[in-house]
Amino acid sequence: MAASIQLNVRSVKVPFNFKPVGKQSHKTSRIRCAAAAATPTKCYNITLLPGDGIGPEVISVAKNVLKLAGSLEGIEFSFQEMPMGGAALDLTGVPLPEETLSAAQKADAILLGAIGGYKWDKNEKHLKPETGLLQLREGLKVFANLRPATVLPQLVDSSTLKKDVAEGVDLMVVRELTGGIYFGKPRGFGTNEKGEDIGFNTEVYASHEIDRIARVAFEIARKRRGQLCSVDKANVLEASMFWRKRIMAIASKYPDVELSHMYVDNAAMQLVRYPKQFDTIVTNNIFGDILSDEASMITGSIGMLPSASLGESGPGLFEPIHGSAPDIAGQDKANPLATILSAAMLLKYGLGEANAAKRIEIAVLDTLNRAIRTGDIYSAGNKLVGCKEMGEEVLKSVDSSVPAAI
């Protein structure tokens, strides 16, 4: 399935093809497509990975929103819930069971909640929940992580930055996801020539890894405001020198996109000083991990931001960028909007269902316009609600929203 992407009402096509897949044999938490209405409908298999902490709470809400938005556009979903992260460790002894990875690979798309928690912090590396996420990304071969950061007019006062700095911010971080120091080898522990204990990792990129993420970033920038900033540390790191060389080589094929370069330390400062200067940012795995989290706080809350992880073929992985927030897990305090918006990205990027995605996006804006807020985005004069009630309010808006034809 070719995915037509829309973000902030801008049509973007990225060079990915998504393949339809067959039915799965698992029966856990499924709503079977065979139960669809008599009229012809589309049917998609979605693997749900609630994970840990607030993950199950926000996934439950997003699932309901996804179902309603799909039904209004003649779409049926078959959901399969699988364990991952700490929940999988407790259940199976590993953070990513083979059955979970297999279900994800066979799905049309994957919606992930959150992983991790204090309970597993002291585990050995291969038994940490975060290792399961890295294994999942590698197993799905998703290399392009798209993280939008947009300051909504309804939430501009929630930003930690001054209103005149935060207002109007609309940027996209395109992060390389399966290379760099998180996956590079050699890595490990040892001793140096003085006999001291050491730990070491390797930042390494092959040309094809940089070229493919560069093409994605240029394509996205082309459909946004035509500006792409490549972030590296080319004044110190050879891997970054090579990164810049390859980015510049690919740039020759996109003369309509204005390319700039920025060192990562300066980029971190500029995101706080004057974030409106950025349109699209492309960077490596570790820099993208850090900068996208920083950019999220400009918007007022990390609980508002979705993400999409895509590959050249196969299903995409969609998840909020927030963590598992174990301190508020099970207390109905989580903000589910990032996960709901991740479901919208799933529809747009993973399934090419732009109308259903727009229903969700409009519903979120309508809910915010009605002054409904969870604690992380609450301010005086608004109505404070919990995770479940926020989901119910979004469902009301989905049911009443009729998006324009796309």
Side-chain angles (χ1 to χ4, degrees), residues 53-67:
I54 64 172
E57 298 171 67
V58 295
I59 283 291
S60 176
V61 169
K63 175 184 174 181
N64 290 335
V65 174
L66 188 59
K67 284 167 58 179

Side-chain angles (χ1 to χ4, degrees), residues 66-82:
L66 188 59
K67 284 167 58 179
L68 179 57
S71 69
L72 294 171
E73 296 294 335
I75 301 167
E76 292 282 336
F77 295 105
S78 173
F79 293 102
Q80 182 179 16
E81 190 172 305
M82 301 296 290

Side-chain angles (χ1 to χ4, degrees), residues 52 72 111 190 371 377 386 389 398:
D52 311 316
L72 294 171
L111 186 62
I377 54 174
E389 189 173 352
V398 170

Side-chain angles (χ1 to χ4, degrees), residues 26 47-52 80-105 112 115 126-129 131-133 135-137 139-140:
H26 303 283
T47 294
L48 300 175
L49 306 175
D52 311 316
Q80 182 179 16
E81 190 172 305
M82 301 296 290
M84 183 186 165
L89 280 165
D90 290 348
L91 188 65
T92 70
V94 295
L96 182 67
E98 290 183 11
E99 187 178 19
T100 297
L101 178 58
S102 177
Q105 291 171 330
L112 170 66
I115 55 129
H126 71 286
L127 294 178
K128 286 183 178 290
T131 297
L133 181 57
Q135 292 170 342
L136 179 66
R137 291 169 177 169
L140 293 174

Side-chain angles (χ1 to χ4, degrees), residues 117-191:
Y118 306 132
K119 179 179 179 180
W120 307 282
D121 278 351
K122 295 183 179 180
N123 286 15
E124 293 183 31
K125 183 177 180 295
H126 71 286
L127 294 178
K128 286 183 178 290
E130 295 78 8
T131 297
L133 181 57
L134 295 178
Q135 292 170 342
L136 179 66
R137 291 169 177 169
E138 192 171 27
L140 293 174
K141 295 181 171 57
V142 290
F143 67 86
N145 183 224
L146 314 184
R147 293 190 172 190
T150 302
V151 176
L152 301 175
Q154 300 92 333
L155 298 179
V156 66
D157 291 327
S158 298
S159 176
T160 54
L161 300 182
K162 293 179 180 179
K163 184 175 181 179
D164 62 330
V165 176
E167 197 167 33
V169 170
D170 173 17
L171 62 89
M172 170 76 85
V173 178
V174 181
R175 169 191 172 193
E176 200 288 322
L177 199 59
T178 57
I181 201 165
Y182 289 171
F183 292 94
K185 295 179 181 180
R187 61 189 299 158
F189 303 94
T191 55

Side-chain angles (χ1 to χ4, degrees), residues 292-318:
S292 59
D293 277 3
E294 181 187 3
S296 74
M297 290 313 300
I298 299 170
T299 70
S301 173
I302 200 170
M304 289 298 301
L305 299 186
S307 74
S309 300
L310 308 173
E312 292 176 303
S313 62
L317 173 64
F318 303 86

